[in-house]
Each structure stands twice: as C-alpha cells, then as structure tokens.
Amino acid sequence: MSPDALERLLRERVDAHRAVARKGKLATYIPALGDADPLHLGVAVCLADGRIVAAGDADVPFTLQSVSKVPALLLALMDRGPDTVFQHVGMEPTSEPFDSILKLELRDPAKPLNPMINAGAIAVTWLVAGETAEARIARLLSFVRRLCGNDAVAINERVYRSEWETGDRNRALAYFMRAIGALPREADVEEVLAVYFQQCAIEVTCADLARMGAVLAFDGVAPWSGEQLVPREVVRIARALMVTCGLYNESGRFAVQAGIPAKSGVSGAVLAAVPKRVGLGVYGPALDDKGNSVAGLSLLTDLAGVLRLSLF
C-alpha cells in the first residue's frame, strides 16, 4: 500500500473509531491526566524507510506512562544482561490489575510476575545503571530520545509532580517489595520512585511512539538512520513480553484479536511493533476498565485485520 493510500485508510479508520472513546474514562487518579480531551484519537505509522504516515490527533503530546516500561526494560537488559534482570523480575503473564500487590504476597521467592506491571517496572527501573537518580533518569531520557529519533523529547514536569504527589499505591508497592526482598535493602525507595515517575512523565507524540515501535519491529535498527540502537536479542525479549504481558490482563484477548506486540499506558498511549513491517503509535486517552485505551485498541485491532499485521 502506498503512503498516500495508507494515510487515507488511517483517516477513515480514526473517524470510524473515535466514537468508541465514549465508552472509556480518563485516568483522573493522576490529576494532570484528567485535563485530556477524552475524544482525542490519533495514530502514526513508521514505515521501513523511516517515513511517518499519520492521521487524527497525532500531533497532540502525551506522556508515556507505562509505555516507558519498554525502553526501561531494554536499557536494563543492555546494562545488566537477561540473567540478572530476570533474577529480580519474572516473565509470566498476570490475571491481576497492573498495580496489584496480591501476587507479590503469594509468590515464593517473592518477585514481580513480569516487567510490564508496576511492581516489575519499579524493579527494572532500579536495575538501570547510574550512580544517582539523576544519572539514571538522564540515561533513560537520552535513550528514549534515540529510540524516538527526536532530541526534543522531554519530561513533563507537571505530570511528574502530579504522579509524585498522588502515587501512594506505587509507593506502597515499592516499600513492600523492599520489605520482602524483591528490592534489596540498600535500595533507596524514594530515589527509585523519582526515576520511575519521571520516566512515566516523558512526553511524546504518536510519531515519536511509531519510531520507537519501528526500532522494535526492525530488530533494534532505526530505519531512518540504519543505526543498531538495541541488540537484536534484547528486542526479541521485549517483543515477546509485549505480546504476553503488554496490555496487562487484556493481553490474551488482544493477542487473539490483533496478534501484534503492544504496550499501553494510562495516558492513552499504545506502542505497537510488527516485526519486519511497521512501528505504530496510537493515542486515545479514554481508558477501558483494564487501563488500556479503549478507542486505541479498537483502532489497532481494526488496522491489524485490514493490513494483515497479525503474527499468528
């Protein structure tokens, strides 16, 4: 399909799915996210040559939120290696909500089920190399900029402060993890959370997200430059976890219906990567009861069928 034909298709499908957003709700438990327009819906596709095709509200900025768990995992795997990372976090799907504490209490040895839930992401953030919280977030931000091909990507300080002031559940998770040994005793929980909340508050657009998806789609190579940004094996691990865990307890249904690796965030962001084909970035801030973009997943499922993107 030509880029012009793809753009027409994207416009048509965005228009068709925008009304689905009325079924969802904004993530107002993070107050700064409550300012979003619930009817916004945008999509961008990064092609094999690095070109971006977009439609809808693709230029509206939003924060990564839990989509940041993907670049954090990539960087931790590159810093520490898979053996060390998976000593601290598992690789199994969950049937519980993304911020649940339940399985931490039940598992022996105690460690988060996977890197895509909040407890697992907090453990992964601790594994990112850096002597201080400032050094770790600087490395994460620099890495996200490279994945997005955009040096202007920055942290939204208002969203960060909103998360810091209201993040009691994540704070409780982190302290509980240290108490049971899922984080080491020497871990400074407040520093780890400062990095975690800031990585969640990194602000992007659909095009930035699509370029990140393209790096994952093309085995760690940035299609706009030909540079190998991430080792192929690290990308393979991340894509596998996106399929099985990226949409929390909705991952199985999306794998059956759309069949593409994806990761969501409560800002309404959805990152998707179709190996050897395209990267996709979607934004639709109205969420379903699992914490995923209701119109975004509807749109992605439709596009996966029309464009035959499913891996299965």
Side-chain angles (χ1 to χ4, degrees), residues 173-192:
L173 274 173
Y175 277 105
F176 184 74
M177 287 166 62
R178 192 173 69 173
I180 63 175
L183 282 176
R185 290 303 305 171
E186 66 268 20
D188 185 321
V189 169
E190 296 301 317
E191 283 197 356
V192 174

Side-chain angles (χ1 to χ4, degrees), residues 94-108 110-113 117 119 169 173 176 180:
T94 180
S95 59
E96 305 301 324
F98 60 85
D99 56 357
S100 174
I101 201 170
L102 177 64
K103 292 295 173 65
L104 281 172
E105 295 185 276
L106 299 177
R107 295 195 79 195
D108 185 20
K111 67 179 180 181
L113 273 172
I117 56 174
R169 192 172 184 93
L173 274 173
F176 184 74
I180 63 175

Side-chain angles (χ1 to χ4, degrees), residues 34-80:
D35 296 337
D37 184 337
L39 295 183
H40 272 159
L41 182 61
V43 59
V45 178
C46 184
L47 305 175
D49 59 4
R51 283 183 293 176
I52 295 290
V53 181
D57 302 302
D59 293 331
V60 175
F62 53 89
T63 52
L64 287 175
Q65 297 302 320
S66 285
V67 172
S68 71
K69 295 169 182 176
V70 175
L73 175 63
L74 296 172
L75 194 54
L77 287 167
M78 292 162 66
D79 286 344
R80 308 290 186 182

Side-chain angles (χ1 to χ4, degrees), residues 26-219:
L26 299 177
T28 53
Y29 62 88
I30 301 173
L33 299 185
D35 296 337
D37 184 337
L39 295 183
H40 272 159
L41 182 61
V43 59
V45 178
C46 184
L47 305 175
D49 59 4
R51 283 183 293 176
I52 295 290
V53 181
D57 302 302
D59 293 331
V60 175
F62 53 89
T63 52
L64 287 175
Q65 297 302 320
S66 285
V67 172
S68 71
K69 295 169 182 176
V70 175
L73 175 63
L74 296 172
L75 194 54
L77 287 167
M78 292 162 66
D79 286 344
R80 308 290 186 182
D83 289 346
T84 297
V85 168
F86 292 114
Q87 286 173 9
H88 294 274
V89 61
M91 53 183 78
E92 300 302 325
T94 180
S95 59
E96 305 301 324
F98 60 85
D99 56 357
S100 174
I101 201 170
L102 177 64
K103 292 295 173 65
L104 281 172
E105 295 185 276
L106 299 177
R107 295 195 79 195
D108 185 20
K111 67 179 180 181
L113 273 172
N114 65 69
M116 301 298 167
I117 56 174
N118 288 16
I122 290 168
V124 166
T125 295
W126 176 76
L127 290 166
V128 171
E131 292 297 318
T132 63
E134 291 78 10
R136 290 198 295 278
I137 192 58
R139 291 189 68 237
L140 272 165
L141 179 57
S142 176
F143 185 53
V144 170
R145 286 171 171 168
R146 294 182 71 202
L147 293 175
C148 294
N150 183 359
D151 289 339
V153 167
I155 293 168
N156 183 315
E157 291 294 333
R158 179 170 172 268
V159 174
Y160 163 55
R161 289 296 169 192
S162 186
E163 297 200 50
W164 178 263
E165 292 165 3
T166 61
D168 291 346
R169 192 172 184 93
N170 283 320
R171 196 165 270 111
L173 274 173
Y175 277 105
F176 184 74
M177 287 166 62
R178 192 173 69 173
I180 63 175
L183 282 176
R185 290 303 305 171
E186 66 268 20
D188 185 321
V189 169
E190 296 301 317
E191 283 197 356
V192 174
L193 288 171
V195 178
Y196 179 66
F197 290 142
Q198 286 181 86
Q199 76 180 44
C200 289
I202 293 173
E203 191 169 67
V204 296
T205 65
C206 288
D208 296 322
L209 216 54
R211 291 189 192 97
M212 186 186 296
V215 174
L216 295 169
F218 294 101
D219 295 333

